[in-house]
Amino acid sequence: MTSIALSPAVWNIVARNEYRNHTLTRKVFGGNAGAACYFLAAVIFSFGMLRNVLYRHALLQQPHELLLPQPWNTLA
């Protein structure tokens, strides 16, 4: 649950820091803005995939009941 809630906040903080201070570009990638951009995109995409997996797992753990009997449930 924490990953689902905190992922967008972490992306926002890191992206704002990069926009204002260019921390990734200057300090991590030595001035290579393209590499920093691709790295940030890969991190955001990876955290998004992790969040989707955890969200799907949480949904599948929920109990569920059919509202209609089987043939009517499929038709509806």
Side-chain angles (χ1 to χ4, degrees), residues 15-72:
R16 285 177 186 244
N17 182 36
E18 178 60 24
Y19 179 74
R20 291 184 181 138
N21 302 325
H22 303 286
T23 306
L24 288 174
T25 302
R26 291 182 187 153
K27 295 182 180 175
V28 178
F29 290 99
N32 190 350
C37 181
Y38 281 120
F39 175 76
L40 187 57
V43 168
I44 290 172
F45 181 76
S46 299
F47 277 135
M49 293 300 290
L50 175 65
R51 185 182 66 163
N52 288 345
V53 167
L54 293 175
Y55 186 74
R56 185 174 188 276
H57 180 69
L59 285 178
L60 291 176
Q61 295 298 319
Q62 298 294 318
H64 63 280
E65 254 185 65
L66 298 176
L67 296 176
L68 299 171
Q70 182 56 32
W72 297 106

Side-chain angles (χ1 to χ4, degrees), residues 69-76:
Q70 182 56 32
W72 297 106
N73 187 26
T74 305
L75 293 173

